[in-house]
Amino acid sequence: MIIKTGNYIFVLSFLCVICTSCDNIVDYNDNYTPADQQPNTGAPVIKAVYDVADTAFANPITQGTLNQTVTLVGENLNFAKAISFNTVACDMKNVYTMDTRAIVQIPSKLSMEQIDKIEYTTDRGTTTFDFTIPFPELTVSSLACEFTNAGDSVTVNGQNFDLYDFEGGTSTVSIGGATLGVGSITPTSMKVLIPEGTPDNTDIVFTWQTQGTAHTATLPFRPSQQLLFGDFSGITSSVDGSVQMAIETDDGIGASAWLNQKNLHFTGSYSAWAWNTIDLSGNMIDQTVEQVDDYVLKMEVLTQSSFPLTEQTGLQFCFNWGDSYAWNPANGLGINTFGQWQTVSLPLAPMATKGISEPGKWQTLRITFQPHADYDADFRLANFRIVKK
């Protein structure tokens, strides 16, 4: 190949220009520090708090809720070493900071002591900021089965059990003056062990405190004195239609589910819309019910796993030949107790449109069983009682 001298000189000159130009290229990454690495110039300052979804910072908040994610806005917020709400430390793995902001998740548990402060610590100091997290109230609502036997554990239903110290002694559960063992606590339930020998008609007592205020709630344990039909002795019962119902003891039920009370056992195969009724009649117990709106009908229910109760089961209840109340178990979700007894409550008013008999007066509870489709039944009902809400 022949290379002309002039061109060769031109190429060398061009390369020199390129190299010279490279010396003039500005590296815009020089001296750049990412926002989450910028050094603090002083102690941290929190100016406001926002819900993390409020990216425009339009509505500052003064209180939050457990597990809520918030954005703290201020100065010198980088390199956070510790952040706490009401003295409870945040999980620092869920914290993102920069000089003027910090994204933080409020802890899932809070101290019983209402400090109403955020405490924020960095490499340059600590600051506090007024911020309220209303402590969730404890709700003790019901026992999964009010007729659990003494010596067995019973599930207590409610809200926020996990936020109160039932295991450490700050909050307590007792019956007959004896403190009960507590276990398996979740936000909505708690297991308690009923001591052997605990008599029927005893209250389970729950105590706890919030901000120095003492609270007490009670739930009934085996309220056999409230039973409308007792053990069905002296009760008149009549069956109409093809319904197969027997008054039975615990024989045939697994020992872990024994009720120690007689029950109504419904079995058999039924065609759609077959009309069946059971009437239970006897004198009203020593209980006066004036405002039926203030009461519920309680009972225990047991279903086998293959025979749940649904709206299609077609169970209805009425007192003294009034209007019938069509029960839609669990508001359409149905009930399957898997061979264990479960307490349920139904509103009394729609099934007692002709009122409830006075003490000592004759009274009838009608149970209608009308499946909406062909249906195989195997369920039990027991312990009918009228209880104030």
Side-chain angles (χ1 to χ4, degrees):
M1 178 182 297
I2 299 175
I3 301 176
K4 294 182 179 180
T5 304
N7 289 344
Y8 181 68
I9 295 173
F10 173 78
V11 170
L12 288 178
S13 300
F14 180 71
L15 291 175
C16 287
V17 171
I18 293 176
C19 292
T20 303
S21 299
C22 288
D23 290 339
N24 295 326
I25 293 175
V26 177
D27 185 355
Y28 289 99
N29 288 322
D30 286 352
N31 301 318
Y32 172 74
T33 304
D36 61 347
Q37 296 297 319
Q38 292 177 5
N40 296 316
T41 59
V45 175
I46 300 174
K47 296 180 178 179
V49 181
Y50 300 86
D51 184 85
V52 72
D54 185 4
T55 56
F57 304 135
N59 299 298
I61 58 178
T62 58
Q63 68 177 36
T65 58
L66 300 183
N67 287 317
Q68 181 182 6
T69 300
V70 296
T71 302
L72 314 182
V73 174
E75 300 173 0
N76 297 316
L77 298 179
N78 251 341
F79 304 106
K81 292 184 175 181
I83 306 171
S84 65
F85 289 76
N86 284 7
T87 73
V88 178
C90 298
D91 184 351
M92 298 304 291
K93 292 183 294 185
N94 296 328
V95 173
Y96 174 77
T97 67
M98 60 180 68
D99 178 42
T100 59
R101 275 173 279 174
I103 297 175
V104 183
Q105 185 176 34
I106 297 172
S108 60
K109 292 187 177 182
L110 295 180
S111 167
M112 298 298 289
E113 190 176 6
Q114 286 294 108
I115 303 299
D116 293 336
K117 297 280 187 184
I118 301 172
E119 185 173 284
Y120 197 104
T121 300
T122 71
D123 58 340
R124 298 295 297 271
T126 298
T127 190
T128 60
F129 186 80
D130 291 340
F131 192 76
T132 302
I133 302 175
F135 202 89
E137 289 293 331
L138 174 67
T139 301
V140 180
S141 57
S142 65
L143 299 181
C145 178
E146 291 184 0
F147 275 78
T148 297
N149 289 299
D152 292 339
S153 292
V154 63
T155 298
V156 185
N157 299 316
Q159 294 290 331
N160 299 317
F161 289 114
D162 59 324
L163 301 180
Y164 291 78
D165 188 16
F166 279 99
E167 293 175 308
T170 305
S171 304
T172 65
V173 188
S174 63
I175 192 167
T179 300
L180 305 186
V182 175
S184 187
I185 296 177
T186 74
T188 58
S189 68
M190 176 173 63
K191 289 267 192 182
V192 297
L193 178 63
I194 307 297
E196 290 276 6
T198 301
D200 288 6
N201 305 295
T202 306
D203 283 338
I204 304 175
V205 181
F206 303 80
T207 66
W208 68 95
Q209 289 192 356
T210 53
Q211 295 181 268
T213 301
H215 302 272
T216 301
T218 61
L219 291 176
F221 170 71
R222 294 187 64 87
S224 54
Q225 289 179 345
Q226 297 178 336
L227 300 184
L228 296 177
F229 306 114
D231 64 355
F232 296 102
S233 299
I235 297 299
T236 299
S237 62
S238 63
V239 176
D240 182 24
S242 61
V243 64
Q244 300 177 49
M245 187 278 294
I247 298 175
E248 296 184 354
T249 63
D250 288 327
D251 292 342
I253 304 176
S256 64
W258 279 13
L259 198 64
N260 287 319
Q261 297 287 142
K262 289 184 179 179
N263 62 84
L264 308 184
H265 188 193
F266 296 81
T267 57
S269 297
Y270 300 86
S271 59
W273 304 108
W275 181 267
N276 309 281
T277 59
I278 303 94
D279 294 333
L280 302 172
S281 301
N283 290 331
M284 176 61 179
I285 63 173
D286 187 14
Q287 177 184 16
T288 299
V289 179
E290 295 179 350
Q291 299 294 329
V292 293
D293 287 331
D294 297 335
Y295 290 81
V296 295
L297 175 69
K298 277 191 178 183
M299 59 184 167
E300 270 64 56
V301 176
L302 182 148
T303 71
Q304 300 300 331
S305 58
S306 299
F307 302 91
L309 293 178
T310 69
E311 183 183 17
Q312 300 299 313
T313 307
L315 274 171
Q316 302 177 43
F317 301 85
C318 79
F319 279 97
N320 299 327
W321 322 117
D323 295 338
S324 291
Y325 169 76
W327 182 27
N328 185 8
N331 296 318
L333 298 178
I335 288 180
N336 192 336
T337 72
F338 298 97
Q340 301 293 316
W341 288 101
Q342 177 179 318
T343 300
V344 300
S345 297
L346 307 180
L348 182 64
M351 66 179 72
T353 55
K354 291 193 175 180
I356 297 298
S357 299
E358 297 176 359
K361 299 292 186 180
W362 197 250
Q363 177 164 268
T364 298
L365 171 63
R366 166 164 284 188
I367 304 171
T368 301
F369 178 43
Q370 187 182 30
H372 299 180
D374 291 351
Y375 180 73
D376 292 327
D378 188 354
F379 64 91
R380 299 172 187 260
L381 308 178
N383 300 336
F384 301 101
R385 54 200 185 273
I386 294 172
V387 181
K388 199 161 190 177
K389 294 179 181 176

